[in-house]
Amino acid sequence: MKIRQIRFNVCRNASRAFAMAAVALLATACSDQAHAQSGLLNYLSTQPQGSALSAPQGSPMGNVNGFANSNVQVIGASDVRTAADLNKGSGGTVGSSVSQAFGPTRLGPGAISQAVGTLSDDSFGIQQVSCQSCGTGNCGGACGGHGGYSGYGSHGSYGDACGVPCPAYYYVSAEALYMKRRGDGGFTLAQNFGMGKFDYEWAPRITIGSVPDCVHGYELVWTGPLEWEREAVVRDTVNSPFNAAFVPGLPVAAVDLDNFFTAGIQQQRHTSEYWSVEANKTWIGWDAAKLLIGGRYIDFDEDYFYLSQNNMAETGVLSSGAHNQMYGVQVGLDVMTPIGRHMSTDFRGRAGVYANFVDTDVNLQNDGAFILNNSQSDDEIAGVFEVGSGVRYQLGEMLTVRAGSEFIYLSGVSTAVSQVDSTIRPSMGRQVRIDDDIFIYGLSFGVELRY
């Protein structure tokens, strides 16, 4: 027991002594290192700036990469020119300052170049230009373009480097619409005959636009008027076989409608008219897509006229009219896809929400006496959607021709024929009916000029 205790005490005392000796040795080494560095700094401070000096033997710099007595060039901070010095007009370049300090050494890709024009191809410096980056006010949000097919921009399709402003341009488009109105094809108030369907009609669509910076622009669009008319007339003054398809309802009596029955001449006419004007703010991207938002006014008018005359030249006239004035906002998208060097396909879409203010009137006269004379106004929310597609061919830098198809859908509108009933009562026409849908479709042909 005592022998083991003696061994334990001896080992513990030896460990303590060894640890104390190691700490003392380490402290001595650190003191020598600090003394040597302090001496070197004091020596350097006594030397003039820019002179060559030789590190003393035994100092930490006495052996640099295995070479003793290496000469070290000490350069003052004021001798090195910076970009700030250049801006102050002191002359020279950063590269020349570095060359003076380190000798005639060719700078690599990391060189900094103060350039007014274009840098050389083998330099990767920093170019000082008027437009710092795309999207700033100097660039107008985008750059011009070169190459490819000509899309919405008149100067190419893929854009210049930032700092090269895109010149402003204007465009004028003139299209001929060949459109047909669908709906109400089977409507008639006569027992013996009906009207045919609406036919295709021609109307212009004129677009005038401006793009000051190849991205942001404005345009005005006028469409129409598209005017449709269908009519039917029958005559048999000998047999007088023509009768109306409506009947009187109390308090209207049969005698109040007698000129619409056993008539020798009857005529029905239904007219419809559509036109619109719009002003849009546009954004054009990569000359291949155009996004727009703007305001639009749409006018849609309808009139229905029914004339009946008996053998005694007594007449009965029933007329109905609906006037839709639609004010609203719309969004749109035009996209072009190249399919050849000078040819591309396009897609045109519009969607808008409108406040529809409707005025209607219904009148019925029998031998000059008014049986009905009702007018009413109301308003409703309406929607208008347009879809089109076509093919464009570029004849030159300024002129493009286009042909395609168009489809227009109007929802929440009022028509003339929806205001009349098969039973004639004094209340007919006193309530506006605004729940009709109108379909318009057809072809379009046009030219576009950009300058």
Side-chain angles (χ1 to χ4, degrees), residues 159-223:
D160 291 334
C162 182
V164 182
C166 175
Y169 69 91
Y170 303 89
Y171 59 93
V172 177
S173 173
E175 297 175 88
L177 303 179
Y178 190 54
M179 309 290 283
K180 182 177 184 178
R181 178 217 191 275
R182 286 294 302 270
D184 305 320
F187 175 82
T188 181
L189 288 181
Q191 290 184 5
N192 311 95
F193 70 102
M195 297 175 289
K197 297 180 179 180
F198 289 111
D199 202 353
Y200 287 92
E201 300 294 342
W202 292 94
R205 180 167 64 198
I206 307 298
T207 303
I208 301 175
S210 170
V211 183
D213 58 6
C214 287
V215 175
H216 309 88
Y218 304 90
E219 69 176 20
L220 296 174
V221 183
W222 169 274
T223 304

Side-chain angles (χ1 to χ4, degrees), residues 38 62 65 67 79 134 153-154 179 228 241 252 294 351 376 395 431:
S38 175
N65 296 331
F67 297 94
D79 292 337
C134 287
S154 61
M179 309 290 283
W228 300 276
V252 178
Q376 191 59 265
L395 297 178
Q431 182 180 3

Side-chain angles (χ1 to χ4, degrees), residues 219-284:
E219 69 176 20
L220 296 174
V221 183
W222 169 274
T223 304
L226 281 161
E227 298 176 325
W228 300 276
E229 180 178 339
R230 56 178 182 161
E231 183 180 20
V233 180
V234 293
R235 300 174 183 271
D236 191 345
T237 58
V238 176
N239 298 315
S240 301
F242 307 118
N243 297 287
F246 50 76
V247 295
L250 293 177
V252 178
V255 68
D256 296 326
L257 306 176
D258 59 353
N259 290 329
F260 291 94
F261 298 90
T262 62
I265 300 174
Q266 287 194 339
Q267 175 190 13
Q268 291 186 95
R269 184 174 69 248
H270 185 192
T271 62
S272 186
E273 180 183 87
Y274 169 90
W275 63 272
S276 73
V277 59
E278 56 190 279
N280 301 311
K281 166 69 175 174
T282 63
W283 293 267
I284 297 176

